[in-house]
Amino acid sequence: MKLFLVPTPVGNLGDMTFRAVEVLKSVDLILAEDTRTSKVVMQHYAITTPMQSYHIFNEHQTLRSVIDRLMTGIDIALVTDAGTPGISDPGFLLVRECVKEGIEVECLPGATAFVPALVDSGLPCDRFVFEGFLPHKKGRQTKIKSLAEETRTMIIYESPHRLIKALEQFIEFMGPDRQVSVSREISKLHHETARGTLQEVHDHFASKEVKGEIVIILSGLETEE
């Protein structure tokens, strides 16, 4: 019995690893955040393994049944819509319970959106902090205010319709001259990375319709600031 965490492409389907395909073909069951989305990947690689829905809205209710199935001796793979399970996606609760029950867990290396965004940014990547999605409402400004004092490079996920608001809030608490890099549609046909000051990048995106998942890389507070 074993749980595999299998990264799936964040954009280009060609980013799937050979081993990921082999594992998905060999396991007894695939848990998918959205079976409709994962079906595209499975069909592309001729993977016919049975799939079951496992997402943020049902993971608490289905967790025990998944553990029970693993305990019968089968192998299960967990995939999310894109990227590595557990990174701003379901996965943590299942891994924690597997560890508690003595079930072997293995996460395959593979696609994660923030890595290429960080490396592409041109900002220091020797020390960084991953913040994922910021709170939508309650506690959002408090969180951003605390991040203004962070000295490490910051990685933040954002939805396209909140990008301009996020950049405006960063300008409010960090000033217009803080360096930032914004990547969208990573690994897809219309991939774009905009770099510069917060004001410059804000103005760049304010003049267009923003589409695609967003990764924001913010420079940390410099000591002379």
Side-chain angles (χ1 to χ4, degrees), residues 154-172:
M154 292 161 275
I155 303 167
I156 297 165
Y157 284 172
E158 192 54 276
S159 62
H161 66 275
R162 289 196 185 92
L163 174 61
I164 298 303
K165 178 182 178 181
L167 292 172
E168 289 172 348
Q169 289 177 315
F170 294 151
I171 290 171
E172 178 183 355

Side-chain angles (χ1 to χ4, degrees), residues 21-215:
V21 174
E22 290 174 357
V23 168
L24 292 175
K25 286 184 175 182
S26 67
V27 295
D28 301 286
L29 176 67
I30 297 171
L31 301 178
E33 183 180 8
D34 187 328
T35 54
R36 295 165 299 179
T37 301
S38 296
K39 187 178 180 180
V40 175
V41 177
M42 304 308 162
Q43 288 181 335
H44 185 81
Y45 288 101
I47 298 167
T48 58
T49 306
M51 282 195 294
Q52 176 182 315
S53 179
Y54 183 87
H55 47 74
I56 191 172
F57 301 107
N58 74 357
E59 61 179 336
H60 285 88
Q61 293 87 350
T62 60
L63 180 61
R64 190 63 244 175
S65 65
V66 172
I67 293 298
D68 290 341
R69 296 191 70 176
L70 281 163
M71 295 289 279
T72 66
I74 70 171
D75 293 331
I76 294 178
L78 173 65
V79 299
T80 54
D81 290 350
T84 300
I87 304 297
S88 291
D89 277 323
F92 162 69
L93 291 178
L94 183 55
V95 171
R96 182 177 66 179
E97 197 65 19
C98 284
V99 171
K100 179 181 176 181
E101 295 287 349
I103 298 170
E104 187 177 0
V105 178
E106 181 175 359
C107 181
L108 274 60
T112 301
F114 78 75
V115 174
L118 174 63
V119 177
D120 280 349
S121 71
L123 297 173
C125 50
D126 54 333
R127 297 175 66 247
F128 57 88
V129 56
F130 176 72
E131 291 292 337
F133 287 96
L134 299 179
H136 292 171
K137 294 180 180 179
K138 186 177 180 180
R140 184 179 176 91
Q141 288 195 352
T142 301
K143 182 63 177 179
I144 293 174
K145 188 175 180 179
S146 69
L147 290 178
E149 303 300 317
E150 174 61 63
T151 58
R152 295 168 292 182
T153 300
M154 292 161 275
I155 303 167
I156 297 165
Y157 284 172
E158 192 54 276
S159 62
H161 66 275
R162 289 196 185 92
L163 174 61
I164 298 303
K165 178 182 178 181
L167 292 172
E168 289 172 348
Q169 289 177 315
F170 294 151
I171 290 171
E172 178 183 355
F173 291 102
M174 303 179 189
D177 297 326
R178 182 76 69 96
Q179 290 293 308
V180 67
S181 174
V182 174
S183 293
R184 67 177 189 88
E185 298 279 68
I186 289 174
S187 190
K188 296 182 181 178
L189 180 63
H190 300 293
H191 167 68
E192 175 187 17
T193 294
R195 308 173 185 85
T197 65
L198 278 169
Q199 190 65 60
E200 290 169 342
V201 173
H202 169 275
D203 294 346
H204 170 79
F205 284 108
S207 62
K208 59 166 62 177
E209 181 182 5
V210 183
K211 295 182 179 180
E213 294 303 312
I214 305 293
V215 184

